[in-house]
Amino acid sequence: MTAITTGDHLVIRVAAGDPDRDPSLSTAGFDGPIVNVGPTGVPALEPLIAVTAAGRTALYTHCSTADLESITASVEETGDVDGADPDAVVSHAPDRNRLPTAPLPGLRAGDRRVLGACSWRRPTSVADHKAAGGFAPSDAETVLTVGNSLNGRGWGDLCQDDPLAETWRTARATDGDPVVVVNGHGSPADTLLLSSAPFEVLDGASVLASTVAADRIIVYASSEDDNAVKTVSSAVDTYPDPAAPMEVVTGPEEYRAAEPTMAIEAIEGNHRLEARLRPPGPERVGLDGRPTLVHTPRTLAHLAVGLREGIDEQTRVMTVRGDVDSVATVELSETQKLSELVDTVGVDGSFKAACVGGRFGGITRDLDVGIGVEALNNADLGTDGIVDVLSDARCLVEFVGQRASFAAEENCGRCVPCREGTAQLASLLRNVYDGEFDAQAIAELDRVMASSSICVFGERAGRPVRTAIEAFTSEFKAHAEGRCPAGTCLEPLEA
Amino acid sequence: MSSENPQQIDAPPLTEEIAPGTATDPPVGSTDVATVTVDGATIDVAAGATLLDAIEAVETDDSVPALCSYDRQEIGPRSECRTCMVGTDEHGVVPACSFPAKDGLTVQTGAADAAEARDVNLDLVLSDHNLRCTTCGKNGRCELQDAAIEQDVEEPRYGVLDDRDEYEPIDDSSSFIQIDRNKCILCNRCVEACNDVQVEGVLRMEGSGQDTRIGFQSDAETMEESTCVSCGHCVTVCPTGSLVEKGIEDATTIPLPGFTQKNSVGKTDESTGTSKGPMTPKKRTEHTLETPTTEMTDSPSDDGISSDTWDDDQSGGDWL
Ligand code: SF4
Ligand code: SF4
Ligand code: SF4
Ligand code: FES
């Protein structure tokens, strides 16, 4: 099989994140070079058809089978890629091996490196990945050097926001055969990589396994992420010469199941998931008592791409959702701002605030903040890579109330500061509606949850509330006086 | 899962059937003998020690309740109550009962952030506790009561579990052991006593969030229906009035006519009166292995907020 990225012949790419909407399924009769690629990370554009020839690509968004037929017919007739009224046309090198930037929501963000394969190379094509420089071996020293300057991404990563190499050295030096766990649970960016660029992730896992002399690579994902599980499973089956045997294991869909030690519990087959104590962390005593490295697909894809292309200029993969025109997972340079992330899609309504850093992210009304770890930390925002945009139709008290009650419902139940603390936090927020806004009590509880919970679930569960009180004190006070400035949440109480 | 899993091969078949529902924690003690400083005093501890071992060896500035700690007979540390938080120069606030006593560590029991954490966490334990001491069988010999007295708790910040509608029925079905889950602090001692010491495989931790509770590894709903052999070990280790031996469940009740442990809660699962089969560990084989695999999801997922995608349609304060 040859790669679809070589030469300047015609290629018609069909990207449909949802297989049920794949317009190419009924095109078996077509006599054209139609290939299925993985999702883009911008579901609103899909099914997306990209017609490429001789360094030009025409993009057609949300296509039906009929659209595909007329696009194919037009290409056959005219020989032009853009004969059927495309939504965007871009020029690029004829042998380009990544999805080009295009003036479309979510695709106008920065140049894709880690996400480059998404919607451009066939997810499980060995030839496509090889043509992009994939499957390249690396020696341990190079891997460790790159790992010195790379941080783990996402809350499912054992080394979130910390340099990776030190933990790798620990695992390598610990007795027992190490295990590499690819934790693809929960985050939209990680699910995207598993379903659209699985070889980048497995490349990272394989070089890491050879670096630490691991004898097992386990890809872990939510059993609900069908597409990701299916695609990564076939990538595992076709991966040429992995450094250690690879397998895919699924766990329950609950949010908490992404926590690194709960991921290990799920892989071991425990019927009930709760966090493990540490220290010692999984890098010393992990899966079946062995040294275990748990990294997200993002972390491992950054490693693989970093080894190929250098890491002088680092990027971050981020998902923007909530009150936006379309949900998008994009890749930006670390030097860019949150405002640029939101601009790649556009706000639905007028912007009020954003919850930065996933479920238990921080609330900000200021988007003039860098997306790098340090800038986010300084602003008390989260680094999980998910930003929920809130328009002015949103009530912040209600929003953080939902986050607190989610925490109260979804924690594993093991430790008191989280199990009982989240319940009390939700109740302190309910009191606001009864006229009792006790900011001090909330702050005290938040501090204790953060300092004494067993895992990051409880450590961070108070952050939305803490940061919202900081940024929107007047809204809390208004609620205590019986008024909801956004007008969304006081009626039901009176009913 | 894998044939090369060394622990599964080495484990005796009996314990492999046991599914206590709890995480497999790493060994948390120090790897070597160590010298640590606690409130200015220098202490030598043996390999395997935690900071709590060092703290217990000296007269500390502040009292450290360490409520859930037991740490005897293969039990603990569960490290769930977090009333043992102490300050360290090296790692900030840490749980003494499960933090390795690494050589050179410097501990302050009086650190303000640690003291605050101990107080708040003890109040959080009480917030979910039916504090009806006067009708409790453990009145006067209860570790939670002791801790609350020792810490001068007068009015717990978050109140106590005082809503009769929220009380779980007392399980009074067994002739030997009574369970009042309204008094349980989820310290897991009973589960470990039952599984790791007695190797009976009766009790387990189940549920999540506020629904976390002590239950049975068989499908039993009550102690009477369970495979319990009435060895009583769980009762011995229970720090509160949650597990008490029948016959003395009212022993320490303050003698007010008409007030008993049972009517303090109001709802009770009584014995069905049907005689039980032979109490031998053998009957465990009838129910093994079904339980672990059938319950992968143990939290409610039909309430609209448990999935990981943020639901934009939620509005109107429906979290209240
Ligand atoms: S912090 Fe929450 S989720 Fe983590 S162990 Fe404690 S109860 Fe479980
Ligand atoms: S009395 Fe029953 S439940 Fe308690 S430890 Fe013994 S066998 Fe287990
Ligand atoms: S019943 Fe007693 S021993 Fe068992 S978890 Fe509850 S408080 Fe601990
Ligand atoms: S005694 Fe340490 S957490 Fe309970």
Side-chain angles (χ1 to χ4, degrees), chain A residues 155 256 259 262 273-276 278 407 410-420 422 449 452-459, chain B residues 80 209:
Chain A
W155 84 289
R256 67 174 176 280
E259 196 278 331
M262 292 198 230
L273 295 190
E274 59 172 35
R276 288 182 180 178
R278 70 215 87 161
E410 290 300 315
N411 68 77
C412 81
R414 177 163 184 175
C415 69
V416 165
C418 177
R419 182 184 71 233
E420 308 301 340
T422 52
M449 289 166 60
S452 58
S453 292
I454 290 179
C455 78
V456 289
F457 186 111
E459 283 171 21
Chain B
E80 58 92 29

Side-chain angles (χ1 to χ4, degrees), chain B residues 130-269:
Chain B
N130 158 345
L131 201 64
R132 292 172 182 255
C133 295
T134 51
T135 52
C136 179
K138 281 277 183 73
N139 194 8
R141 50 190 185 106
C142 166
E143 294 175 34
L144 178 58
Q145 196 182 49
D146 292 346
I149 293 168
E150 174 82 32
Q151 297 304 111
D152 294 323
V153 178
E154 271 165 25
E155 240 178 278
R157 296 174 176 66
Y158 313 108
V160 296
L161 177 59
D162 196 22
D163 180 353
R164 273 186 174 243
D165 293 339
E166 283 194 26
Y167 286 161
E168 273 213 57
I170 290 178
D171 182 347
D172 198 41
S173 61
S174 141
S175 318
F176 304 98
I177 292 162
Q178 185 191 70
I179 312 181
D180 180 356
R181 292 186 176 83
N182 307 293
K183 297 191 187 296
C184 174
I185 64 164
L186 296 171
C187 69
N188 203 49
R189 289 184 200 174
C190 58
V191 176
E192 288 174 67
C194 186
N195 294 291
D196 303 342
V197 183
Q198 297 295 329
V199 203
E200 290 296 347
V202 178
L203 297 173
R204 71 166 177 191
M205 194 64 77
E206 61 184 24
S208 59
Q210 288 288 302
D211 300 327
T212 312
R213 73 203 279 269
I214 298 304
F216 306 103
Q217 290 176 42
S218 60
D219 289 333
E221 288 293 326
T222 62
M223 197 67 167
E224 180 190 30
E225 291 166 22
S226 81
T227 52
C228 175
V229 299
S230 304
C231 67
H233 203 119
C234 52
V235 174
T236 324
V237 297
C238 183
T240 69
S242 184
L243 285 171
V244 282
E245 206 179 310
K246 287 292 283 286
I248 60 162
E249 70 270 29
D250 281 323
T252 49
T253 293
I254 296 196
L256 288 177
F259 287 93
T260 64
Q261 151 70 356
K262 274 205 258 177
N263 71 17
S264 76
V265 169
K267 293 163 285 186
T268 310
D269 288 329

Side-chain angles (χ1 to χ4, degrees), chain A residues 24-97:
Chain A
S24 66
L25 288 180
S26 44
T27 55
F30 277 138
D31 192 22
I34 297 176
V35 297
N36 282 95
V37 289
T40 51
V42 193
L45 301 178
E46 294 167 6
L48 176 75
I49 293 175
V51 187
T52 303
R56 282 182 85 232
T57 295
L59 294 152
Y60 301 84
T61 63
H62 26 88
C63 292
S64 61
T65 300
D67 294 333
L68 178 58
E69 278 167 23
S70 60
I71 291 166
T72 320
S74 142
V75 172
E76 265 168 25
E77 230 170 81
T78 66
D80 292 332
V81 298
D82 55 355
D85 196 13
D87 296 284
V89 183
V90 293
S91 302
H92 49 80
D95 58 352
R96 185 179 170 91
N97 54 40

